Amino acid sequence: MVSLLLAVVLGSVTSASLKTDYAEAYRESVAQDKPLMVVVGAPWCPACNVLKQTTLEPMAQTGELDEVSVAVLDRDANPELVKQLTKGERMLPQIIMFTRTGGGEWKRHQLKGYQTQQPVRNLIRSAVSLGRG
C-alpha cells in the first residue's frame, strides 16, 4: 500500500515536467525554432504510462528534451486534435515529431508503441538536424 501511494505521489510530481498544453508547446516550437514532439496516450493505457515514467520523465530530468517542445496529449480528452495529429491512427502510445525545415514546411515523423530512450533520442537528433539543414 505504501509503495502504491509513493508511486502515485512521485508520478504526479515528475509528470509536471511534461507539458500537456498543445497550443503552448506549439507556440514555443515556433518562437524558439524547435521541433515539436507530441506524445499521444491515455491514462488507462499501461504502455503510455510506462513510456512517460521510464522514457520521457527521465529524459526531461536530464535535459535531453530541451531541444524540442513537448506536448503530452490524452486521446480521450482531445479526440479531434489527436485524430488530426495522428492521421486517424489509433495505436497508443504514439510519439509524433514535427520539424520545420529551412523552406518553412513541416516534416512529420512518428514512433508507435512503447519506446525506450534510445529511439526517442534518435528521433530528436534527426529532427534537430533536419531543422538546421
Side-chain angles (χ1 to χ4, degrees), residues 1 15 31-32 37 42 51-52 64-65 72 105 122 124 130:
M1 184 71 165
S15 295
Q32 297 179 15
M37 185 169 96
L51 174 72
K52 281 189 229 175
E64 292 183 85
L65 299 181
V72 179
E105 66 185 63
N122 293 342
I124 291 170
L130 178 65

Side-chain angles (χ1 to χ4, degrees), residues 40-42 44-45 48 75-76 78-80 82-83 85-94 96 108 110 112-113:
V40 179
W44 49 262
C45 167
C48 302
R75 182 176 79 183
D76 298 334
N78 301 286
E80 291 304 315
V82 167
K83 185 177 180 183
L85 296 173
T86 62
K87 297 185 175 183
E89 171 63 53
R90 296 190 49 84
M91 183 176 183
L92 292 178
Q94 291 186 47
I96 308 163
R108 180 182 186 278
Q110 182 175 12
K112 296 179 190 174

Side-chain angles (χ1 to χ4, degrees), residues 98-120:
F98 296 96
T99 308
R100 213 150 132 182
T101 64
E105 66 185 63
W106 289 91
K107 294 286 185 181
R108 180 182 186 278
H109 296 92
Q110 182 175 12
L111 296 172
K112 296 179 190 174
Y114 170 76
Q115 303 293 322
T116 60
Q117 291 182 19
Q118 196 56 50
V120 177

Side-chain angles (χ1 to χ4, degrees), residues 39 46-57 93 95 114-115:
V39 181
C48 302
N49 292 320
V50 173
L51 174 72
K52 281 189 229 175
Q53 294 167 0
T54 65
T55 301
L56 300 176
E57 289 172 357
I95 299 175
Y114 170 76
Q115 303 293 322

